[in-house]
Amino acid sequence: MTSTIRRITDRTLATAVAAAALSGGLALATPATVSAAPADCNYMGYLSGPDRLGLQLDSAEQSVANKINAYRVQNGRAALRVSSILARPTMWASLDDARRGVAPSDHIDSRGMGPAQRAQFCSGYTGPIGEINYWGYGGGPLNNEKGTADAAFAWWKQSPPHNALMLSTQYTTFSVARAYLGVNAERAFWTVDFGTS
């Protein structure tokens, strides 16, 4: 099996996958000292065309952002602003999860960094941060929808710690990122980082 990493408008990681499962995770973190190195958290070359596109929300990511904000407003919380500062660490977390084939519940990436260290390393952000992640199979010939925006949001809502983080008043901003495997998004990896930048 070969993997080709692509993160253009549709955020595709091309690989063949067939099975059904899902997983989610939650992390709250405090910043630690790490040197900021955004060039090491890029997609297909720092500030390349694909990298810049990867930092923008695609339609599925915007759907999750809209769902979280509507849910917050429905529950008497202020809507969050999309953070351009958190975009790079959030994108990198989803890409890293997809490369490894899992969204770890401890939120430790392949560099050994948690959300706070990753945010500082990838963007220089040192404020409060919370992270939720999710992965699931969906799309393709199996027509399984566990990797969709709706599935991720539904899973976070039914999990008390994830739900509490989505509704937290500690944060004012957030970023959403999705990477997926297969040309039909047979397996999707979602990350949402909450912060104050």
Side-chain angles (χ1 to χ4, degrees):
M1 184 181 322
T2 61
S3 282
T4 304
I5 300 174
R6 290 178 44 217
R7 186 179 170 104
I8 306 179
T9 307
D10 61 1
R11 313 278 169 84
T12 302
L13 291 171
T15 293
V17 177
L22 59 91
S23 176
L26 164 77
L28 299 172
T30 55
T33 304
V34 179
S35 298
D40 293 333
C41 303
N42 71 83
Y43 175 66
M44 295 183 73
Y46 184 60
L47 296 181
S48 67
D51 186 53
R52 288 179 188 186
L53 282 173
L55 296 173
Q56 300 172 23
L57 297 184
D58 69 14
S59 61
E61 293 162 340
Q62 187 64 59
S63 175
V64 166
N66 292 345
K67 288 175 189 303
I68 290 172
N69 271 337
Y71 185 56
R72 288 177 61 84
V73 170
Q74 176 187 5
N75 285 278
R77 310 308 198 274
L80 303 172
R81 287 180 298 104
V82 174
S83 168
S84 61
I85 293 173
L86 292 175
R88 187 167 297 284
T90 307
M91 174 185 77
W92 196 86
S94 286
L95 288 169
D96 188 59
D97 290 349
R99 284 184 188 111
R100 295 186 297 162
V102 66
S105 60
D106 65 3
H107 297 259
I108 303 300
D109 65 25
S110 62
R111 293 180 171 132
M113 295 181 188
Q117 295 82 10
R118 183 167 49 252
Q120 187 173 4
F121 183 79
C122 292
S123 70
Y125 175 77
T126 59
I129 192 163
E131 181 173 277
I132 56 179
N133 64 10
Y134 172 89
W135 72 270
Y137 290 96
L142 297 178
N143 201 25
N144 186 331
E145 298 302 318
K146 302 237 185 264
T148 64
D150 288 339
F153 180 67
W155 197 92
W156 292 326
K157 275 179 56 176
Q158 64 82 33
S159 166
H162 294 82
N163 189 60
L165 190 52
M166 286 196 298
L167 295 176
S168 174
T169 58
Q170 179 181 4
Y171 306 109
T172 57
T173 64
F174 67 156
S175 186
V176 180
R178 171 188 66 143
Y180 62 81
L181 301 175
V183 294
N184 295 305
E186 284 88 356
R187 194 170 178 193
F189 298 82
W190 293 89
T191 306
V192 180
D193 281 338
F194 299 89
T196 58
S197 64

